[in-house]
Structures are given as structure tokens and as C-alpha cells.
Amino acid sequence: MAVGNPSTPPTAPMASPGAAGSPGAAAPDTPAAPAAHGGPAPEAEGLPVLGNIVDFRKDILDAMHRGWQARGDLVRYRLGPVVVHGVSSPELAGEVLTDSGTYGKLGPDNPLRLILGEGLLTSDDHESWMRNRRMMQPIYSKQALSGMFRAMADATADQLAHMERSHPPGAEVDLHGEMMRVTLDIVSRCMFSTDVSRTRDKLSPEAVDVAVNYAFDRLQNPFSPPTGWPTPRNRRFQQVMDGLDGMMYGIIEERRAAGPPEGGANDLLDMLLAARDADTGEGMSDRELRDEIITTFAAGHETTAVTLTWAFYLLSRHREVLRRAQEEVDRELSDALPTVEDLARMPYLLQIFEEALRMYPSAPIVPRLTLKDTVLGGHHVPEGSRVLVNLFNIHRHERHWADPERFDPDHFAAANKKGRYRFAYMPFGAGPHLCIGKHFALMEAHLLLAALIRRYEFRHVPSHRVVNHATITLRPKYGMTMTLHERRRAPRPAATTAG
Ligand code: HEM
């Protein structure tokens, strides 16, 4: 989807005039009345045999946006033999995401499993998912994460130093590349504090890209060649995965051999190794650890990086919001790097991130598989159907968002959040699979926004084309070219603890 001025999108405005009142105003917490019959959901236009494969591969969000506008909140698509239901209303999405007995995770043929194995994100076995989720929940609690703030701040200091070294004032930079670099560094430091330098080559953004694009293509195209065929793409993917697995198992083996660190866990890996099932007292196997580590990397860096990229793009288009953010930072931040306490005094920055996540939800489509025949929105949905909860459409739904294409961080001012329908905004998902890394992401994003806004102003280069492109995340297809202008020179960053 091409992104024009975010205030005036090329697509038809979706909010009917005066639909939901002022920014942040929410419709009452009542679902829309379902249709009164149990027939199949309306089907989107598509080609014979292929159905919607071509459209989905070209631009899944655009295809689903058109389907939504033409056919409504629940639309049936066909990807060759595979039936897919697109869900675009908060009410139906809430039903899907909270009922894991009817709407399960995708099964063993989920191509993401080729990378993530059966970590939390891709496991379809409720029992083992529940066991691991219980073990991991405390590791990602707000309280535990404050111990990781230091690693996040070190990576931020390094990023500032890198930008100062690599980009003279006024230079053009691909801001998306920079955000990927720093969020990958953060998750590496938090996961492997002492082994972080070993992970850098194998976990390069390029390697991650090869793996993720491979899996996503397979997700959208049931006619992909089998993984065992020796095509160049299959071979490249296997090479990346072999490198990744070798490194992961190597680190796990060494850590196990070294035993628990004196003085308590230093990083997420120490915590994962120490986690025990409350009923059996058992820890995770090497395979489970490998799957959860790779899942954390995959789910936990690009999602934050793309949202930061969109946030800086939006700020460059909305000077009045940028000025307010700069005022907040200049007023509250005395040092180059904020502390946790400083962040608490800068709520507007967090609102900017929340609003960027509304307009550009970084995991825009949450997939499920029906485990039995069911009825959704009055329509029959057969067992075995893929259900795609479309957060991009939901965050623009006219029953809940007046003027949804307007970038307005005040949508997330405390007073405006109150009373909003709970499923009208859910960038981190909802129900039992709610993102486990939500607080991690919010903390690192808040920190990076504060440090970068204090130091730089980024201006979008007008000739650079901005097109959003959904793979597993919602990326800017051609990166994000911006010029970098120094506002305040930082004191030399402190020496870093790792890498
Ligand atoms: C802006 C950043 C992020 C966004 C928008 C995001 C979004 C999401 C969403 C929508 C889900 C639900 C998936 C589903 O229901 O199938 C999810 C799950 C998950 N996320 Fe995140 N995420 C972000 C950051 C992170 C981070 C930083 C981590 C780890 C450090 C993480 C780890 C996970 C994991 C492990 C799951 C699976 C949870 C489960 O099924 O039990 N995410 N995320």
C-alpha cells in the first residue's frame, strides 16, 4: 500500500462523518449485532483456481482492505485450495482471540515453524504452550525487565556513538536499517549478555531477512516447492538455519556446563535455564530453549524497529507533534540517556509510539486455525479454516475511530483511553496469547525515542517513496531515507558492558 500524507490517505476515508466523536472517543463496549443466518461469509473476488493468491502475495493488506470495504467485517478468501477468513472488526476479533478452544494456532504445516520450531508463538500444542508460558511469564514481567534496562541503555549509547561516527550532520540515512541494528543489539544483549559478540554475524539482519521472507512466502503460497528440493532458495535458507542452530546449541551447551551464575541471572538465557515447571520441577530441554530463544529474537526486534521507523516518519510529517515531543524531552531529560524514572515523566513520547502502533501495527495480521466448525458474525466457518485477524483494518474501524488516518498521539492520552472498547486497539494481540514481550517493547521504544529525539531531528527525504509492505511485520518496502540533524551533542557515551 502506498503511503501518502498520513493525514489524507489515497484510500477512501473509512470513518463516516461524525462517526465516533472526538479523537479517542470510543463506541460503547457492546458488540455489533451478528447477522441472523449461518451461511458462509461473503467471498472476495478472485481468480479461478488461484483465488486470491496473486493479490495476497502482491500486497496482503491492500487485498484485505479492499475485501473489507467491498464485503464487510468477515470475508472469505481462497488461496488455491486453502480457505481463509479475514476479520476486520474489533468485536469479531475479540471473539476469535479469546476463544482458544475454537480458534487455535496454525498447525504443524505453519512455515514459521521452519524457523521458530515450537516456541510460544508457533506451538499448537496447548499443554506444552501453557507450561512454557507459565515458566516464562515472570521473566518478562515489568519488575524483571527493570533489570534489563541497563543493557538497553548500553545498546542505546552504542547506537548514538555509531550514528555520530557513521553519519555526518545532514547525511541521508536509512532509518529503518538503524532501528533494526539497535533493536537487534538490545535483544542480543538482553538474551546473551556475555556471548553477544558471537551472535552478531549469524544474527545479522540480512540472515534474519532471508529466513523470515522464506517462511512468509510459504505462508501465502501453498504451491511453494517442497522444502527438501535443492532449489537455490531452499539451500540458502538451510544454510542460514544451520548457522543459527549451531550457534544456539553451542551457547546453550556452554552455559549449562558453566552452571548457574553466582549472584543470580545476568540475562534472559540464564533466566530461561533456571525456569522450572511449578508442578514437575522440570526445566526446558535444549530444543525448547533453542525454540524460545529464536522466537524471542524473531518476535522481539523487528516489531519494535519498524514501529520506531514509522514513528519517526510520522513525526517528520507532523511538526507540531515533533515540537511537543522535543519540549517534553528537553524539559525532563538532563542527561543523554534517560533513566526509568525519567521515562515515567515523558508520557507523550509513549503516546507517540502507541499511536504509531495503531496506524502501523507491526504485526498486522494475527492468524488462527478453526479447530471445529463454528459460527462467527452469523456466518458458518468450517473446521480447518485459517482466520486472519487484521489489526490494520481494526485500528481504523469506523465504529471506534473517528478520522482514523489522522496521526494524533492524544488518542492515547489517559482521558481518551478510558472507556475505549478493549479490542479496538490491540497491537500486542489479546487473550491468552497476548504478547509476552509487551513491556519489554514499550520500555525499549520509550528509551530509544527519548535518546534519539533529544539528540537528533530526522527529516524525511521527499523524493524517497514510502510504501508499507506487510510480510510478517509491516515494513516500509523501500526502507526509510531521512536526513539526520543534530540538536544536542551528547557527552561521550559511557563504555558499554558487552560486545
Ligand atoms: C512493538 C513490538 C511488538 C509487537 C507489536 C508485538 C506483537 C505481538 C502480537 C500481536 C502477538 C500475538 C500473536 C498471536 O496471538 O498469535 C505477540 C506474541 C508474542 N510476542 Fe510480541 N510484539 C512485540 C514485541 C515483542 C518482544 C519485544 C518480544 C520478546 C522480547 C515478543 C515476544 C512475543 C512472543 C514470545 C509471543 C507469543 C506469545 C504467546 O503466544 O504466548 N514480542 N506479539
Side-chain angles (χ1 to χ4, degrees):
M1 251 184 197
V3 177
N5 181 339
S7 305
T8 50
T11 49
M14 285 167 268
S16 50
S22 58
D29 202 349
T30 46
H37 56 86
E43 185 170 318
E45 257 178 62
L47 300 170
V49 185
L50 292 178
N52 307 97
I53 288 184
V54 177
D55 278 355
F56 268 44
R57 291 197 67 184
K58 201 165 140 214
D59 187 340
I60 187 172
L61 282 187
D62 185 49
M64 291 186 75
H65 185 261
R66 282 186 285 114
W68 176 39
Q69 297 294 289
R71 299 280 189 268
D73 286 340
L74 184 69
V75 180
R76 205 154 38 95
Y77 300 92
R78 281 181 307 104
L79 306 182
V82 178
V83 175
V84 167
H85 283 79
V87 174
S88 296
S89 87
E91 292 80 6
L92 299 183
E95 248 181 81
V96 170
L97 295 181
T98 53
D99 180 0
S100 54
T102 305
Y103 302 93
K105 288 289 189 119
L106 301 189
D109 58 346
N110 180 357
L112 281 180
R113 284 223 195 154
L114 297 169
I115 310 175
L116 309 179
E118 292 178 55
L120 288 186
L121 198 62
T122 40
S123 168
D124 68 335
D125 176 48
H126 190 73
E127 289 302 308
S128 68
W129 166 78
M130 179 96 95
R131 171 180 171 269
N132 286 359
R133 175 96 194 194
R134 278 210 201 106
M135 283 205 267
M136 290 172 65
Q137 192 80 36
I139 296 176
Y140 288 97
S141 66
K142 257 186 182 167
Q143 201 184 5
L145 285 176
S146 61
M148 265 171 254
F149 189 79
R150 179 60 212 262
M152 293 183 183
D154 284 347
T156 305
D158 246 20
Q159 179 65 20
L160 290 174
H162 156 79
M163 287 172 72
E164 185 181 326
R165 259 193 330 267
S166 320
H167 310 300
E172 288 189 4
V173 294
D174 172 23
L175 198 70
H176 180 52
E178 295 296 332
M179 295 302 98
M180 291 286 274
R181 181 185 184 279
V182 64
T183 55
L184 190 59
D185 194 19
I186 285 179
V187 76
S188 303
R189 286 172 193 251
C190 290
M191 180 63 77
F192 299 124
S193 55
T194 51
D195 302 298
V196 71
S197 53
R198 276 174 64 184
T199 65
R200 284 213 170 115
D201 292 342
K202 300 268 170 22
L203 274 172
S204 66
E206 295 73 31
V208 174
D209 243 27
V210 168
V212 169
N213 287 338
Y214 179 88
F216 189 68
D217 266 10
R218 302 189 73 83
L219 200 59
Q220 292 194 103
N221 183 4
F223 300 122
S224 308
T227 48
W229 288 11
T231 63
R233 211 166 173 211
N234 281 348
R235 281 210 294 261
R236 176 82 185 104
F237 174 74
Q238 207 42 58
Q239 208 180 18
V240 166
M241 292 315 296
D242 289 347
L244 208 58
D245 282 351
M247 178 187 72
M248 291 299 158
Y249 285 123
I251 294 177
I252 293 168
E253 195 185 324
E254 283 169 29
R255 286 279 182 105
R256 281 207 199 274
E262 277 174 34
N266 290 317
D267 52 33
L268 285 170
L269 180 55
D270 284 343
M271 294 185 221
L272 288 172
L273 280 161
R276 292 289 174 270
D277 183 323
D279 298 330
T280 64
E282 275 177 30
M284 289 188 199
S285 66
D286 285 358
R287 173 75 208 194
E288 284 176 308
L289 283 166
R290 175 255 178 234
D291 290 354
E292 296 303 355
I293 294 169
I294 296 189
T295 296
T296 303
F297 271 90
H301 91 281
E302 185 171 339
T303 40
T304 311
V306 286
T307 314
L308 284 165
T309 305
W310 290 120
F312 281 114
Y313 169 67
L314 290 163
L315 285 173
S316 78
R317 307 289 301 248
H318 295 267
R319 310 289 303 169
E320 69 298 346
V321 177
L322 177 64
R323 291 285 160 257
R324 219 173 126 185
Q326 288 172 337
E327 275 164 30
E328 184 174 84
V329 170
D330 293 345
R331 189 174 62 239
E332 301 297 346
L333 199 55
S334 52
D335 200 355
L337 287 177
T339 60
V340 177
E341 294 72 33
D342 289 332
L343 292 183
R345 292 195 311 275
M346 295 187 274
Y348 192 63
L349 293 189
L350 196 57
Q351 287 172 222
I352 290 170
F353 189 73
E354 290 175 300
E355 175 71 343
L357 268 176
R358 181 186 70 78
M359 297 190 73
Y360 299 99
S362 51
I365 290 170
V366 181
R368 290 289 184 270
L369 185 73
T370 44
L371 304 176
K372 52 189 176 197
D373 282 6
T374 189
V375 174
L376 184 63
H379 295 290
H380 176 68
V381 180
E383 179 181 344
S385 171
R386 283 193 194 167
V387 175
L388 304 183
V389 172
N390 186 319
L391 301 182
F392 190 87
N393 290 350
I394 287 168
H395 288 178
R396 289 164 165 76
H397 203 286
E398 71 276 8
R399 273 201 299 279
H400 301 279
W401 301 97
D403 200 5
E405 296 300 334
R406 190 157 60 90
F407 172 60
D408 181 4
D410 277 333
H411 279 133
F412 296 93
N416 290 332
K417 280 206 266 196
K418 246 187 241 153
R420 176 169 299 140
Y421 180 59
R422 60 191 275 234
F423 301 115
Y425 178 71
M426 47 174 170
F428 295 99
H433 290 282
L434 177 75
C435 176
I436 200 167
K438 176 179 171 183
H439 299 304
F440 186 110
L442 293 177
M443 184 188 262
E444 75 170 317
H446 205 169
L447 166 65
L448 282 164
L449 277 175
L452 288 166
I453 289 175
R454 179 183 189 275
R455 181 75 189 280
Y456 291 113
E457 188 171 310
F458 300 107
R459 295 186 199 142
H460 179 241
V461 173
S463 58
H464 168 257
R465 209 166 147 233
V466 179
V467 175
N468 67 32
H469 177 66
T471 54
I472 289 165
T473 58
L474 181 51
R475 300 170 165 192
K477 188 168 183 178
Y478 307 110
M480 187 61 75
T481 310
M482 305 193 92
T483 51
L484 163 154
H485 305 270
E486 210 164 24
R487 298 186 61 236
R488 263 161 89 166
R489 177 158 282 268
R492 290 237 81 70
T496 58
T497 52

